[in-house]
Amino acid sequence: MKPAVIVIFGITGDLSKRKLLPALYRLFTEEMLPLDTKIIGVSRRDLNIDELLGSVELCVLENDNVCDPEGIARLRAALSAFKLEPNTDEDYHALRAHLDALDESQPRERIFYMSIPPSAYTPIVEHLASSGLNDERSRLLLEKPFGYDLKSAEALIGVVKNHFTEPQIYRIDHYLAKETAQNLLTFRLHNPIFTPLWNNDHIERVVISAREKLGVESRSDFYDHTGALRDLIQSHLMQLLALVMMDIPASMSSHDIHLSKQYFLEQLLPADPAQAERAQYDSYRDEVQNPDSTTETYAKVHLKHSAERWQGVDLILETGKAMPEKSTSISIEFKSPGAQHRNSLTFQVQPNEGIRLELTVKEPGFESTMRQAALDFTYKTMFADEKHIDAYERVLVDAVRADQALFASATEVLATWRLLQPVIDQWAKDSHDLVIYPGGTVPVLPATPSPAAASGTSST
Ligand code: BG6
């Protein structure tokens, strides 16, 4: 891994404090980045690094929450502040001079991390380019959501592509960097007993669910403009779906993984708005101080795939905030003609990452009473002594070592917006279907019409 300088725009923001700085602390503590890696926090105001570090729970990723003073000292030594006004040309030239001066001791790859909303990064990207900070040593790390709908995503992707080439652009989807998400590919590749089952002869439905206990917390402005469909389904859940269902890539190279994902996503059929559901938790409007808000804090869509292999399989993506507990899982439910119980294979993404296979067994005794039993394993028990790497640690390391496999390509991002656009359009027109649910519960939704009923066609 070549040494790098990571320039973080938005270092005082929520994401940086909750995820990036704790991940960097861990990387420096475990010496997982080259020791001469430098981190520059860009800010409009004079930034006091000690105050910043003092305001962050740096060691949340440690099992015991206890910090290693040496790790903190290393992070502190690597971290410096740079004052920059995002629309001022000279500030970017000064940044370039600063980076050039750093190179005198040791040439470094340059990583510009946009830990800011996409609406704010266009001028920064343009200024970086006009001051020559987009040469082949430079990489751009971008946080989602990449746009607000298909049109704005095309525009945003276009702006960035005007100045940086695709191999320089790293669109972060931190769910791809979660351990279980990566294990999906390994599982599919190295457990051939499941390969013959991976099609519509055997699979009835795939359900991907990401439920969060927390509400919108301090992100009212962002969230009220975004909602659950854009926040999680368009990005994280679509990416997980592609990993589970795409054809096995020709190789594990970044290029082949993206090719398979893209091919899968492009053959999904656009989501049917009549099959989409949304809800909002009851205290949401007060929290965001918008009494008329129709933003969904819960969303569910059903998708279908056009490939012969997947025709008829129901693909369900669901996410919500203020739910009873935090849980993200991917369930493959197998067909079971005539059987009372269904076999299912569940990848528990978080918490307690693991894999569970539901089987039907006979209860002990004279009667033939059946019940479900699970074969399962969790990473925590199986790999108790191994180090667990947080998604943002992996995002940062992969960006430094220039591995794009776990990032989203422009084609994938556009394909997912295209699929959801009919629902976005419908929801913008009319909000009578928005269900209000008590925080801390799962919304009770009206029965979803079957795809045939929804499209007004009859099966007879
Ligand atoms: C982010 C969303 O991408 O993912 C947040 O913007 C959400 O709304 C978060 O809370 C969930 O991430 P994780 O890793 O805690 O499941």
Side-chain angles (χ1 to χ4, degrees):
M1 220 187 305
K2 292 190 192 156
V5 49
I6 306 177
V7 181
I8 304 179
F9 289 82
I11 194 154
T12 54
D14 180 68
L15 175 77
S16 158
K17 289 183 172 175
R18 282 189 309 115
K19 307 270 192 186
L20 282 183
L21 288 167
L24 283 167
Y25 155 76
R26 269 278 291 261
L27 294 174
F28 278 99
T29 306
E30 306 287 341
E31 298 185 13
M32 286 187 277
L33 285 177
L35 277 182
D36 38 12
T37 302
K38 297 281 177 215
I39 316 292
I40 298 180
V42 172
S43 167
R44 284 184 141 137
R45 285 174 283 278
D46 288 317
L47 179 64
N48 181 318
I49 293 292
D50 294 311
E51 273 173 23
L52 173 70
L53 291 183
S55 70
V56 175
E57 278 189 72
L58 268 185
C59 308
V60 281
L61 297 172
E62 301 296 357
N63 288 337
D64 51 8
N65 226 328
V66 174
C67 288
D68 171 356
E70 247 181 71
I72 297 208
R74 275 187 221 134
L75 173 63
R76 176 67 193 87
L79 192 55
S80 61
F82 190 88
K83 194 170 162 189
L84 176 142
E85 192 51 55
N87 285 312
T88 306
D89 264 349
E90 301 86 77
D91 287 3
Y92 291 85
H93 289 291
L95 177 62
R96 183 176 172 177
H98 184 66
L99 296 178
D100 287 345
L102 267 184
D103 274 1
E104 281 167 19
S105 59
Q106 157 84 67
R108 292 180 169 84
E109 305 291 299
R110 295 170 176 178
I111 297 179
F112 299 100
Y113 194 131
M114 302 291 136
S115 178
I116 49 177
S119 52
Y121 62 59
T122 301
I124 300 179
V125 166
E126 286 171 344
H127 279 97
L128 287 174
S130 63
S131 52
L133 286 169
N134 61 343
D135 63 12
E136 66 289 349
R137 274 178 309 169
S138 301
R139 279 166 226 152
L140 200 58
L141 250 78
L142 303 174
E143 276 293 343
K144 57 158 268 287
F146 310 109
Y148 181 74
D149 54 14
L150 178 58
K151 210 165 144 213
S152 56
E154 280 169 343
L156 195 62
I157 284 174
V159 166
V160 177
K161 280 200 162 185
N162 281 341
H163 304 294
F164 288 83
T165 62
E166 188 67 13
Q168 290 177 292
I169 306 169
Y170 291 66
R171 295 180 198 84
I172 299 169
D173 189 309
H174 78 280
Y175 270 49
L176 288 175
K178 288 184 188 276
E179 197 66 60
T180 315
Q182 291 165 67
N183 199 41
L184 287 171
L185 279 184
T186 313
F187 178 92
R188 294 189 53 201
L189 203 61
H190 298 286
N191 294 284
I193 56 166
F194 289 98
T195 311
L197 305 181
W198 230 249
N199 53 55
N200 57 359
D201 285 340
H202 299 282
I203 295 179
E204 176 90 36
R205 75 172 66 90
V206 176
V207 182
I208 304 192
S209 168
R211 296 180 173 185
E212 294 185 86
K213 197 168 178 178
L214 292 179
V216 291
E217 306 295 299
S218 58
R219 300 161 78 216
S220 303
D221 287 349
F222 162 78
Y223 199 86
D224 206 33
H225 185 66
T226 306
L229 185 77
R230 295 180 175 90
D231 190 32
L232 261 97
I233 294 188
Q234 180 272 326
S235 47
H236 305 327
L237 302 197
M238 286 285 198
Q239 287 286 344
L240 291 181
L241 182 70
L243 285 186
V244 184
M245 299 189 67
M246 67 188 189
D247 294 341
I248 297 287
S251 80
M252 283 298 118
S253 72
S254 170
H255 173 265
D256 288 341
I257 292 176
H258 284 297
L259 215 59
S260 272
K261 255 202 285 171
Q262 178 182 322
Y263 186 63
F264 172 82
L265 290 169
E266 286 183 333
Q267 290 184 86
L268 276 168
L269 299 172
D272 177 359
Q275 288 253 299
E277 292 154 293
R278 58 178 159 166
Q280 186 189 71
Y281 64 84
D282 51 5
S283 56
Y284 174 78
R285 291 177 188 175
D286 287 342
E287 283 174 35
V288 300
Q289 297 180 352
N290 179 2
D292 301 320
S293 174
T294 56
T295 300
E296 76 289 353
T297 59
Y298 172 93
K300 185 175 186 179
V301 294
H302 291 249
L303 295 169
K304 295 279 181 209
H305 202 266
S306 64
E308 213 181 321
R309 177 182 179 189
W310 293 121
Q311 267 170 27
V313 180
D314 199 9
L315 311 173
I316 302 174
L317 307 182
E318 171 215 60
T319 184
K321 292 206 182 273
M323 311 276 296
E325 58 182 5
K326 175 144 178 122
S327 175
T328 306
S329 61
I330 303 167
S331 262
I332 317 291
E333 298 182 10
F334 292 94
K335 290 184 174 167
S336 57
Q340 237 179 324
H341 300 290
R342 213 182 267 293
N343 293 121
S344 65
L345 179 67
T346 300
F347 299 91
Q348 182 67 30
V349 178
Q350 59 186 12
N352 267 338
E353 291 107 313
I355 302 178
R356 187 174 69 246
L357 180 62
E358 288 276 344
L359 303 170
T360 302
V361 297
K362 182 187 156 305
E363 276 187 8
F366 290 110
E367 307 302 325
S368 284
T369 311
M370 303 297 164
R371 61 186 258 195
Q372 294 289 96
L375 287 179
D376 55 7
F377 98 92
T378 62
Y379 280 81
K380 218 198 243 147
T381 42
M382 174 115 183
F383 301 110
D385 299 329
E386 314 284 325
K387 281 193 188 6
H388 292 263
I389 304 214
D390 179 68
Y392 271 91
E393 289 179 69
R394 188 171 301 269
V395 162
L396 288 161
V397 168
D398 282 357
V400 173
R401 66 181 173 198
D403 181 350
Q404 283 188 313
L406 302 178
F407 294 83
S409 73
T411 321
E412 291 159 21
V413 170
L414 293 176
T416 54
W417 281 116
R418 204 168 289 124
L419 292 166
L420 296 177
Q421 194 59 47
V423 179
I424 293 175
D425 291 341
Q426 177 59 34
W427 284 3
K429 270 190 229 150
D430 178 7
S431 61
H432 78 275
D433 59 318
L434 182 75
V435 169
I436 304 293
Y437 62 101
T441 68
V442 179
V444 180
L445 301 162
T448 322
S450 70
S455 61
T457 56
S458 157
S459 55
T460 52

